[in-house]
Amino acid sequence: MKQLFIGGEGTLGIITKVAMLCPVKPSSVQVAYLAVPSFQHAQQVFKKAKQHLGEILSAFEFLDHHSLIITVKNLPNIKNPLPDTQTPIYLVVETSGSNPEHDYAKLEKFLEEAYNDEIIADGVIAQDSGQQASIWNLRESISEGLRHAVTCAQQSVSPRQQQANKAPAIL
């Protein structure tokens, strides 16, 4: 039966019922902006985040120092959350859960361990939704900031974890 619908490009069927499961909007969202010394350190932070924040880890984003500088220079409304810290790599880590105190404590413990293990150089946790929006605005404005400065082709790359160490050299 399935092949009949595929072969008919969907013209042979009528949808009579649809069921959708939509996730509940999380009542607790925490965002951290981190400076790390290298790509290898970023990988270690990611592994530690998956271990410590597993069920509440909702985003783990990466940006490099050069892109950050170009974006802040070309988009005056974009601010660097860590203006006194310069590292090659920056990360945005977001957690989404249902218990603000528990989620914040988990994120704090994760950051404390990562800092003690010397895999992050500096970091800040957004204290309100405005700071969260500012951090995400920075991350999401990288493409626009680069467009103002250089002609570039952009790609989204997802290497296998075993090959991720080679990615910075290849790019």
Side-chain angles (χ1 to χ4, degrees), residues 83-96:
D84 298 329
T85 303
Q86 292 190 1
T87 60
I89 307 295
Y90 299 90
L91 304 172
V92 178
V93 178
E94 181 185 77
T95 63
S96 300

Side-chain angles (χ1 to χ4, degrees), residues 33 63-76 78-80 82-83 85-88 90 138 142 145-146 149:
Y33 182 79
L63 58 141
D64 68 283
H65 181 72
H66 298 294
S67 298
L68 171 69
I69 296 303
I70 291 170
T71 300
V72 169
K73 178 182 174 189
N74 289 297
L75 301 176
I78 302 298
K79 305 292 181 224
N80 181 357
L82 297 171
T85 303
Q86 292 190 1
T87 60
Y90 299 90
L138 164 63
I142 295 291
L146 292 176

